[in-house]
Amino acid sequence: MKKSKIAITLTVLALCASLLSGCFGNKNTTESTNNSAGNLTQYETLEPMSQTYFIFDTIVNVKIYDTRATKDNLKDIEDILKNIDMKISRNQETSEISKVIANAGIAPVQVSTDTYDLVSKALSYAERTNGMFDPAIGKLVGLWNIGHEGAHVPAVADIEEALQRCDYRKIEMNDDKHEIYLQEKGMDIDLGSIGKGYAADVIYDYLADKGFHSAIIDLGGNVFAMGSKPGGKKWTIGVQDPDKERGNGIGTIQVEDKTIVTSGIYERFFIEDGKMYQHILDPRTGYPVDNNISSVTIVTSRSTDADALSTTLFVLGIDEGLKFIENTPDAEALFITKDKKLYGTSGFKEMLKKTNDNYTFAN
Ligand code: ADP
Ligand code: MG
């Protein structure tokens, strides 16, 4: 049996987005509008300037809580998103990343500072994890094609061959010329693990530059809760129950000026012969990571880091992942396992107001 849930979900959501602005809940995290007593909070009286976009294969929703915000700001954000997509998307033939890939084994390609810095950032995580997080994993990502129509388990020989092309140490960076060179033909970069976080940061910086202090930037589960609610209270963000439809949480956290990013097994996957294959790959084996984790949620100050960290911790697993996050300043993590156990950093456990008794703390 084969099943591709994501294709259906995305189609429904895309329709939803094109018909109606702001009609959906978030993928992994949900912004709550009630305080703990269930009373309306002050900010709800201020209607946000809000728009929904469909880009990066995902639904993006931005809400600006400021009476000075205008439609022009929403248009600027659309341009920002398109601009990032034009730089880093593998699906856009003319993007800078596509040019880098097309020139693998041929020649270095000069790219914008944005692309250069993002690839450098991804490489820093690759180095920190000895390649468990690897932006050079594109060949394998393309082969498995998880989350897209027709995904199936590839032939072993094809996996072996793709694995040979996945090695971050063969991405050559030239700081002076801002050039990126993939040393071998057939190599491929994939920034799917970090791109949405990066986009959230760019939007955040744009809004900050315009003098706004209160916004929710949501890229399909990569949430940036900018500043605080109008009135100064913290934002309440729900942590998604991986086993339930979106909007059902295991609990909530209250944050101020933080980004919350989740990597999970539950939205991009397929099932073949009764086995589930999710979309984060193990660069040692060439197969999807097959551990007991349902999701990893990160809370930190920059979304690019949160996005890289959520994928990284997923690949590293609970023990290694918790060690890794302890050595990362200003970042908290929560693992949810398939058997409904919660493993968190002490900071996350302090923050989490658990509302679902099916889940229990295990550390
Ligand atoms: P999502 O895109 O659902 O938010 P993630 O941020 O965790 O989830 O990114 C997962 C994506 O990262 C995959 O779809 C793939 O494009 C890419 N990827 C898969 N395995 C790895 C890996 N080991 N290192 C870096 N990127 C990966
Ligand atoms: Mg990620």
Side-chain angles (χ1 to χ4, degrees):
M1 183 186 63
K2 290 180 191 169
K3 184 172 145 194
S4 180
K5 182 181 164 194
I6 187 69
I8 301 161
T9 311
L10 283 177
T11 311
V12 171
L13 290 176
L15 264 175
C16 183
S18 62
L19 293 174
L20 197 59
S21 177
C23 70
F24 68 101
N26 305 326
K27 180 178 94 172
N28 303 313
T29 45
T30 46
E31 173 205 349
S32 168
T33 51
N34 288 352
N35 66 13
S36 53
N39 299 321
L40 294 181
T41 50
Q42 185 188 349
Y43 89 103
E44 283 172 287
T45 59
L46 178 66
E47 278 296 313
M49 186 58 75
S50 165
Q51 191 162 326
T52 301
Y53 316 81
F54 185 69
I55 197 159
F56 313 137
D57 238 6
T58 200
I59 304 286
V60 175
N61 179 254
V62 179
K63 293 192 183 89
I64 313 168
Y65 292 87
D66 195 306
T67 49
R68 297 165 303 160
T70 66
K71 288 218 159 69
D72 286 347
N73 298 127
L74 299 175
K75 177 72 179 71
D76 287 348
I77 291 168
E78 183 172 352
D79 292 342
I80 287 170
L81 289 166
K82 283 185 181 158
N83 186 35
I84 295 172
D85 199 42
M86 279 311 298
K87 284 180 177 160
I88 66 169
S89 170
R90 286 165 78 233
N91 302 328
Q92 303 268 5
E93 256 179 53
T94 52
S95 76
E96 292 181 343
I97 284 297
S98 291
K99 284 182 194 155
V100 171
I101 295 165
N103 280 285
I106 301 170
V109 174
Q110 193 167 50
V111 297
S112 61
T113 307
D114 295 345
T115 303
Y116 193 85
D117 289 351
L118 186 59
V119 173
S120 303
K121 181 81 161 186
L123 285 174
S124 73
Y125 280 95
E127 272 150 27
R128 275 188 71 192
T129 59
N130 270 327
M132 292 292 280
F133 176 93
D134 191 346
I137 199 145
K139 200 79 195 167
L140 272 171
V141 171
L143 178 67
W144 280 90
N145 206 23
I146 298 175
H148 299 278
E149 206 64 45
H152 61 276
V153 179
V156 175
D158 291 343
I159 292 174
E160 289 301 321
E161 200 198 319
L163 257 182
Q164 304 298 315
R165 301 282 164 262
C166 300
D167 185 350
Y168 72 96
R169 290 164 299 192
K170 293 178 184 163
I171 301 179
E172 212 173 283
M173 305 293 284
N174 184 322
D175 289 349
D176 296 330
K177 295 185 182 168
H178 269 199
E179 286 176 349
I180 305 178
Y181 179 47
L182 307 182
Q183 290 174 345
E184 287 176 9
K185 264 198 170 358
M187 281 183 70
D188 197 337
I189 297 193
D190 179 276
L191 298 173
S193 56
I194 195 169
K196 281 183 285 190
Y198 171 70
D201 285 341
V202 178
I203 294 170
Y204 178 100
D205 292 345
Y206 164 81
L207 294 175
D209 190 52
K210 294 287 175 196
F212 300 131
H213 308 290
S214 183
I216 294 286
I217 306 158
D218 174 11
L219 289 93
N222 281 43
V223 175
F224 209 139
M226 181 186 202
S228 54
K229 296 193 227 176
K233 283 190 180 160
K234 289 184 174 183
W235 297 106
T236 301
I237 305 288
V239 179
Q240 173 70 35
D241 181 339
D243 293 339
K244 293 271 166 64
E245 290 300 305
R246 29 168 102 192
N248 293 290
I250 62 129
T252 59
I253 54 172
Q254 296 216 318
V255 293
E256 192 173 340
D257 213 27
K258 293 282 180 203
T259 180
I260 303 93
V261 173
T262 301
S263 284
I265 60 170
Y266 49 88
E267 289 224 325
R268 295 183 197 258
F269 68 88
F270 67 90
I271 295 173
E272 187 170 311
D273 294 335
K275 188 169 163 53
M276 180 184 187
Y277 297 87
Q278 59 72 37
H279 70 313
I280 299 176
L281 306 174
D282 186 332
R284 294 168 305 191
T285 62
Y287 283 77
V289 173
D290 189 11
N291 57 23
N292 193 28
I293 299 169
S294 276
S295 72
V296 186
T297 298
I298 305 289
V299 177
T300 190
S301 296
R302 293 298 280 176
S303 213
T304 311
D305 289 297
D307 202 358
L309 282 167
S310 68
T311 312
T312 293
L313 262 60
F314 192 98
V315 190
L316 290 180
I318 295 170
D319 291 346
E320 283 296 310
L322 285 174
K323 275 186 215 150
F324 190 92
I325 201 88
E326 271 165 21
N327 292 318
T328 306
D330 176 41
E332 306 296 343
L334 180 76
F335 289 87
I336 304 180
T337 63
K338 289 173 186 161
D339 52 350
K340 299 188 192 294
K341 299 275 194 304
L342 306 176
Y343 294 82
T345 56
S346 51
F348 206 116
K349 286 190 285 183
E350 265 167 40
M351 264 188 301
L352 181 68
K353 200 169 148 244
K354 197 160 69 69
T355 53
N356 187 328
D357 289 338
N358 294 329
Y359 288 84
T360 51
F361 284 111
N363 79 330

